[in-house]
């Protein structure tokens, strides 16, 4: 598939997406999404004196004359409360509250189905704020946002033959991030589909290739014609995929994403309550190269719940974050559809003119009563199974449930005087059981055993929390002592409008254990992990967070219009000091805040550097803000530079008073024109200036805008290496730039490294190398797609090339070919 076809496909998708958005907006305006119902009843009192009843009103969109009340719901906590961090003393309480939360979910779904089928009213999941549809908070710029670099943890040395830099580009010094490529300076270890490939750093000679096993940690294999017991169903095109690597001393851990789902041979249905059951697998290998150049020796393995999101290695201790959505559709929602309660002969389905059944023979009251009864029947087994899967055991009676944070609603009503207790809302199901996030910790050096001689299983500990489904994977931050997981929440203001919030969970990291110790809430939404920073000052600890509060839109008169501009803020919160933590969970209190940054814009880049911070916002021009963060109680903007274009990635160079930025150039109207590399002078912190810039052709971009580990800068030789894709002239590879710090010298292209040639448009495997570069003694190694190339930085000469698909042998072109330029 060539680049022109890709561009055409992208345009078609954008056009189709625009039509769908327009259609959805028209429907939303036509049916009135912001209905607000009154409470129709009160929940029964709970036997638990500590629990807070949630009124058994129909959710906020239900009609005032709802003919049948919802199921009564009672939770020990309703919303953001540090008590949730203590977890459950008894696992039976965990199961009980899972059942209560499932009732909440059933109430929302039954109410939606009734209003849809009997009143022609529709709902859409999770608008960004607003009163359940109107006053929604929306993105003004709907392109993918990207992370930024905070620090470059590289192994740099200056020998006679040149500079070296092959360490992972990490956010925090002393906290190694998982990446798809690792090196010890002698060998390079790379994730390539389900292969862990090792080659000599100097010559490119492949010395080992390990295929990841498909059998899980309990010995359950893939299904085949001989399998009679439990097994994993696999499609012909599905394979294990190494998502990331962690390396320490003589051990390397492959964090593997599994596409397989366990199946009972007596049933063709996936029975899991979690979509990500056994989806992430950890394999610890001895990284020593076998004498026969065979596969690495597998020491231990462990399956964990959820899909891989992020991982950190602090000394020899690994902390892996996974997340999985809850399979509520199969276990609950699908059974509550009105069609299930109507005789088949009464179902009249016309997908062209009436895409819902004509529910003859069943009125709304009868449906609600029948659906409530069905939900009551299903919920106990659903809660029991969900508890078992979240704990990773079939017998929860002997488990420690204090590591599972208590359930709360992530949508908090305004507690107005004279009103009853907080009640659930129905514009979003993200406030309940949507996602389960887990921090799994282990000692990478403690794994023992030889898989060839016996079953070695990795010993781990874990902490888990149910979070909203729109908690993004890049909202994980870690210092050496604390890991922060962020998720989106909603809170009703005094005007009855819903505002987006970011809820922050702080986990202390102590060796091979993690423990939830604090919770905080800030306004707006995060850009990514670099929007957060753990900072110590005067024997106290703080968390600094940069967020954007999105613009509000609503019906103004007879038309749809913006009622409030977007803006951004930087908030400082108190954080428990690692050395003074107690068993009592705490709130992260807001200590200071600076707001109204970039009115009408959103954050594109954030960088915290000690007592200084840098924030980039953009809509038409790029305000580059400098912030004084010395006083945690009084952060303030001290400088602002407005220039066309925007930066996605910020990196300090020189003496720390120069900021190297990678982003997009643009004209005065905000129309982007291509990749831009720029240097900002912040020596006068109150008056920052753009020292120099270099712009590529229109249609060019770099993966480093979205992936900070794709960026590599050599401080001694003042060289920048970026993966670059360009439409015209066609190019897909890496560009080596000279980026001198001297003011009189310009940024310039030293040379280009193409990873795509015309003759390469052939049968490739579906495996692919992530765009990465490393430098060994003045020689740059670039990795992308299926090839690895080596060039001398001083002469630009190619020294060697490795094709990782060269020994594929005979392949089935119908199944095993991916015709992509890589």
């Amino acid at each position: 598939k060539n680049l022109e076809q890709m561009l055409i496909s992208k345009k078609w998708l954008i056009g189709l997406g625009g039509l769908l958005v327009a259609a959805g907006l028209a429907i939303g305006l036509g049916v009135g999404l912001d209905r607000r119902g009154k409470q129709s009843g009160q929940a029964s009192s709970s036997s638990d004196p500590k629990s807070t009843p949630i009124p058994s009103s129909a959710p906020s969109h239900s009609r005032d004359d709802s003919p049948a009340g919802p199921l009564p719901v009672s939770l020990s906590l309703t919303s953001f409360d540090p008590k949730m961090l203590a977890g459950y003393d008894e696992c039976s309480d965990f199961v009980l509250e899972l059942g209560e939360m499932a009732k909440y979910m059933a109430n929302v779904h039954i109410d939606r189905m009734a209003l849809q089928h009997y009143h022609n009213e529709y709902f859409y999941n999770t608008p960004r704020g607003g009163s359940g549809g109107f006053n929604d908070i929306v993105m003004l710029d709907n392109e993918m946002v990207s992370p930024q670099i905070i620090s470059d943890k590289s192994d740099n040395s200056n020998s006679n033959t040149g500079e070296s830099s092959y360490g992972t580009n990490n956010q925090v010094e002393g906290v190694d991030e998982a990446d798809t490529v690792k090196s010890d300076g002698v060998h390079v270890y790379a994730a390539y589909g389900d292969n862990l490939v090792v080659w000599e750093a100097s010559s490119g000679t492949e010395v080992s290739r390990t295929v990841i096993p498909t059998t899980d940690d309990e010995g359950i294999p893939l299904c085949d014609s001989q399998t009679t017991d439990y097994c994993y169903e696999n499609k012909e095109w599905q394979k294990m995929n190494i998502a990331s690597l962690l390396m320490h001393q003589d051990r390397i851990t492959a964090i593997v994403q599994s596409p397989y789902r366990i199946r009972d041979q007596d049933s063709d249905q996936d029975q899991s309550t979690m979509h990500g059951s056994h989806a992430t697998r950890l394999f610890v290998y001895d990284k020593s190269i076998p004498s026969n150049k065979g596969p690495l020796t597998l020491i231990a393995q462990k399956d964990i719940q959820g899909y891989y999101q992020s991982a950190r290695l602090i000394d020899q201790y690994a902390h892996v974050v996974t997340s999985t959505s809850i399979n509520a559709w199969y276990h609950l929602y699908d059974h509550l559809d009105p069609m299930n309660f109507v005789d088949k002969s009464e179902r009249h389905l016309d997908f062209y003119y009436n895409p819902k059944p004509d529910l003859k023979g069943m009125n709304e009251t009868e449906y609600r009563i029948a659906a409530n009864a069905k939900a009551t029947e299903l919920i106990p087994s659903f809660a029991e199974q969900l508890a078992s899967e979240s704990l990773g055991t079939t017998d929860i009676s002997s488990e420690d449930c204090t590591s599972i944070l208590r359930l709360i609603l992530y949508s908090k009503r305004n507690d107005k005087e004279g009103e009853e207790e907080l009640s659930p809302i129905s514009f979003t199901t993200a406030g309940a059981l949507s996602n389960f996030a887990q921090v799994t910790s282990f000692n990478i050096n403690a794994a023992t055993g030889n898989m060839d001689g016996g079953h070695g299983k990795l010993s781990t500990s874990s902490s888990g929390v149910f979070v909203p489904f729109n908690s993004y994977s890049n909202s994980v931050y870690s210092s050496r002592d604390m890991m922060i997981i962020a998720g989106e929440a909603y809170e009703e203001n005094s005007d009855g409008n819903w505002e987006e919030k970011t809820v922050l969970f702080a986990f202390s990291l102590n060796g091979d254990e993690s423990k939830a110790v604090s919770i905080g809430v800030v306004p707006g939404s995060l850009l990514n992990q670099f929007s957060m920073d753990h900072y110590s000052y005067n024997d106290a600890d703080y968390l600094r967070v940069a967020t954007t509060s999105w613009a509000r839109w609503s019906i103004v008169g007879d038309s749809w219009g913006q009622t409030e501009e977007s803006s951004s803020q930087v908030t400082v919160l108190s954080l428990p000091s690692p050395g003074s933590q107690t068993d009592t969970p705490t709130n992260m209190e807001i200590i200071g805040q600076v707001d109204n940054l970039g009115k009408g814009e959103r954050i594109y880049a954030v960088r915290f550097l000690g007592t200084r911070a840098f924030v980039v916002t953009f809509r038409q021009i790029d305000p580059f803000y400098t912030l004084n963060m010395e006083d945690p109680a009084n952060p303030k903007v001290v400088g602002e530079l407005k220039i066309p274009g925007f930066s996605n990635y910020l990196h300090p160079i020189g003496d720390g008073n120069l900021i190297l930025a990678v982003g997009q150039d643009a004209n005065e109207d905000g129309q982007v024109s291509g990749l831009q590399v720029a240097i900002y002078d912040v020596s006068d912190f109150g008056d920052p200036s753009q020292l120099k810039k270099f712009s590529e052709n229109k249609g060019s971009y770099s993966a480093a805008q979205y992936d900070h580990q794709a960026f590599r800068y050599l401080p001694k030789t003042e060289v920048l290496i970026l993966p670059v894709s360009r439409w015209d002239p066609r190019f897909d590879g890496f560009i080596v730039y000279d980026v001198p710090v001297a003011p009189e010298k310009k940024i310039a292209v030293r040379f280009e490294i193409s990873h795509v040639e015309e003759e390469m448009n052939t049968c490739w495997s579906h495996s692919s190398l992530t765009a990465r570069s490393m430098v060994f003694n003045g020689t740059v190694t670039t990795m992308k797609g299926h090839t690895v190339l080596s060039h001398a930085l001083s002469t630009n000469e190619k020294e060697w090339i490795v094709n990782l698909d060269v020994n594929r042998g005979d392949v089935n072109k119908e199944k095993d070919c991916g015709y992509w330029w890589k």
Side-chain angles (χ1 to χ4, degrees), residues 771-820:
R772 293 290 185 265
S773 64
M774 293 178 170
V775 178
F776 303 94
N777 295 323
T779 300
V780 58
T781 298
T782 55
M783 298 152 271
K784 190 173 187 181
H786 310 279
T787 55
V788 184
L789 287 82
S790 177
H791 289 77
L793 282 175
S794 59
T795 64
N796 310 348
E797 292 183 0
K798 183 189 296 183
E799 298 198 347
W800 48 263
I801 179 172
V802 173
N803 176 1
L804 295 186
D805 274 359
V806 70
N807 294 320
R808 291 185 69 202
D810 295 332
V811 296
N812 185 331
K813 292 189 176 182
E814 294 295 324
K815 298 185 301 181
D816 299 329
C817 285
Y819 289 93
W820 288 84

Side-chain angles (χ1 to χ4, degrees), residues 48-52 75-90 93 97 401-410 464-465 503-506 515-521 582-589:
D48 182 357
K50 298 180 293 181
S51 64
T52 302
L75 292 171
S76 60
L77 299 172
T78 51
S79 60
F80 325 126
D81 191 320
K83 294 178 182 178
M84 69 173 294
L85 304 177
Y88 292 95
D89 293 331
E90 301 291 337
D93 293 335
E97 293 214 330
C401 287
T402 58
S403 61
I404 303 293
L405 277 62
R406 300 184 79 91
L407 296 168
I408 64 169
L409 296 174
Y410 288 94
V465 57
V503 58
L504 304 154
F505 298 100
K515 180 181 179 181
V517 294
S518 193
I519 183 174
V521 181
T582 66
D583 292 333
T584 303
T586 65
N587 264 329
M588 286 184 254
E589 301 291 347

Side-chain angles (χ1 to χ4, degrees), residues 91-372:
C91 289
S92 57
D93 293 335
F94 176 39
V95 177
L96 177 64
E97 293 214 330
L98 283 173
E100 293 300 306
M101 195 65 84
K103 290 181 186 178
Y104 168 88
M105 298 164 63
N107 287 341
V108 172
H109 189 75
I110 292 169
D111 195 58
R112 286 181 171 186
M113 291 295 98
L115 295 178
Q116 174 180 326
H117 289 282
Y118 293 100
H119 303 282
N120 205 36
E121 297 181 13
Y122 295 81
F123 301 91
Y124 303 91
N125 283 334
T126 318
R128 298 185 75 89
S131 296
F134 289 151
N135 300 323
D136 293 350
I137 300 169
V138 299
M139 280 190 179
L140 292 176
D141 304 293
N142 194 29
E143 66 253 22
M144 183 68 71
V145 296
S146 60
Q148 300 78 37
I149 298 300
I150 295 300
S151 66
D152 179 9
K153 177 180 178 294
S154 299
D155 298 292
N156 292 320
S157 62
N158 192 12
S159 67
N160 293 332
T161 53
E163 188 172 357
S164 292
S165 176
Y166 49 81
T168 300
N169 204 14
N170 296 315
Q171 179 185 7
V172 177
E173 185 177 356
V175 180
D176 192 29
E177 298 183 20
D179 196 10
T180 55
V181 180
K182 292 288 183 179
S183 178
D184 56 10
V186 179
H187 296 101
V188 178
Y189 300 76
Y192 187 63
D194 62 346
N195 284 209
L196 176 53
V197 185
V198 189
W199 64 82
E200 291 181 349
S202 59
S203 66
T205 302
E206 184 175 317
V207 295
S208 176
R209 185 178 289 237
T210 304
V211 179
I212 299 298
T214 56
T215 302
D216 75 2
D217 60 352
E218 299 293 342
I220 300 176
L222 295 181
C223 299
D224 58 32
S225 59
Q226 307 300 317
T227 306
T228 59
D229 204 348
Y230 287 98
C231 62
Y232 286 93
E233 183 188 39
N234 66 301
K235 308 296 183 183
E236 291 181 344
W237 51 269
Q238 288 182 323
K239 285 186 176 182
M240 307 279 277
N241 181 66
I242 303 175
S244 252
L245 302 170
L246 291 171
M247 186 174 69
H248 181 72
Q249 295 177 350
D250 62 346
R251 301 288 173 86
I252 187 164
T253 297
I255 305 172
V256 178
Q257 200 73 72
S258 170
Y260 310 131
R261 291 192 175 185
I262 197 165
R263 294 292 177 122
D264 184 346
Q265 291 299 295
D266 298 327
S267 171
D268 61 353
Q269 293 292 333
D270 180 1
Q271 304 292 337
S272 300
T273 58
M274 292 184 172
H275 288 297
S277 179
H278 289 257
T280 299
R281 300 182 178 183
L282 308 174
F283 295 87
V284 180
Y285 290 93
D286 184 336
K287 63 184 278 287
S288 303
I289 306 302
S291 58
N292 61 355
K293 297 186 178 181
L296 302 179
T297 299
L298 179 60
I299 298 174
Q301 72 178 86
K302 178 69 176 287
D303 292 5
I304 57 179
Q305 299 287 44
Y307 297 101
Y308 170 73
Q309 303 297 329
S310 187
R312 304 292 192 274
L313 186 69
I314 301 170
D315 300 326
Q316 71 268 36
Y317 301 109
H319 306 279
V320 180
V321 180
T322 55
S323 178
T324 179
S325 59
I326 306 305
N327 190 7
W329 176 257
Y330 172 78
H331 290 273
L332 191 60
Y333 295 153
D334 190 34
H335 303 276
L336 304 181
D337 192 286
M339 286 191 294
N340 295 322
F341 307 103
V342 178
D343 187 272
K344 291 183 179 180
S345 62
E346 297 294 335
R347 298 178 185 177
H348 304 283
L349 199 61
D350 186 338
F351 284 103
Y352 290 98
Y353 299 102
N354 185 25
K356 64 179 186 292
D358 182 6
L359 301 175
K360 295 181 178 179
M362 184 178 69
N363 60 35
E364 181 180 355
T365 299
E366 291 170 332
Y367 162 65
R368 288 180 179 270
I369 292 173
N372 283 350

Side-chain angles (χ1 to χ4, degrees), residues 469-494:
F469 76 87
N470 51 353
S471 299
Y472 302 106
S473 63
N474 56 4
S475 295
V476 177
Y477 165 86
S478 182
S479 64
R480 287 186 58 85
D481 305 302
M482 202 78 69
M483 176 172 280
I484 310 295
I485 297 180
E488 284 200 358
Y490 294 91
E491 187 169 349
E492 186 183 29
N493 64 21
S494 58

